Amino acid sequence: MTTFTLTITHGLSHHPDIERITTNPRQALRFLDREVSPYTHSFTKIITVNNKQYVKSVAEDDSQAFRADYMADNLFALWWQRVREFLLNK
């Protein structure tokens, strides 16, 4: 099963990063889709999965790339993706 690491970075040294782990791609997409405030320029959201990062900040938005990579349009595609991951992880 694919594990998504959700990280919020503040850019301030005295505030630690907030990190959470989930296996639900819909939850990860909801996390990435929420708006980033233009008033906090150093605020960044990052999803890390399989050594690849999807970033959302004021300057960058990878939510469409994440949606294309992990959100299936139909149930068969979602089922095939899980079977393929299971076979590759053996």
Side-chain angles (χ1 to χ4, degrees):
M1 184 147 308
T2 304
T3 302
F4 303 97
T5 305
L6 313 176
T7 308
I8 298 176
T9 61
H10 301 283
L12 303 171
S13 61
H14 59 278
H15 288 290
D17 293 343
I18 300 170
E19 190 169 292
R20 187 173 175 191
I21 296 174
T22 184
T23 57
N24 186 351
R26 292 190 189 283
Q27 183 180 10
L29 182 62
R30 278 194 309 267
F31 167 79
L32 199 61
D33 272 343
R34 292 188 185 140
E35 290 298 316
V36 176
S37 172
Y39 301 108
T40 55
H41 296 290
S42 57
F43 184 76
T44 305
K45 294 180 181 183
I46 302 169
I47 295 178
T48 306
V49 57
N50 298 332
N51 295 326
K52 185 174 181 181
Q53 289 187 338
Y54 299 91
V55 178
K56 179 144 186 189
S57 65
V58 173
E60 192 174 356
D61 186 2
D62 289 339
S63 59
Q64 290 299 330
F66 181 83
R67 182 175 280 123
D69 289 347
Y70 290 100
M71 299 306 295
D73 291 336
N74 59 33
L75 292 177
F76 178 75
L78 182 61
W79 175 82
W80 177 247
Q81 179 183 11
R82 288 181 181 167
V83 168
R84 188 173 144 252
E85 288 174 9
F86 176 76
L87 293 174
L88 292 175
N89 290 332
K90 268 190 155 183

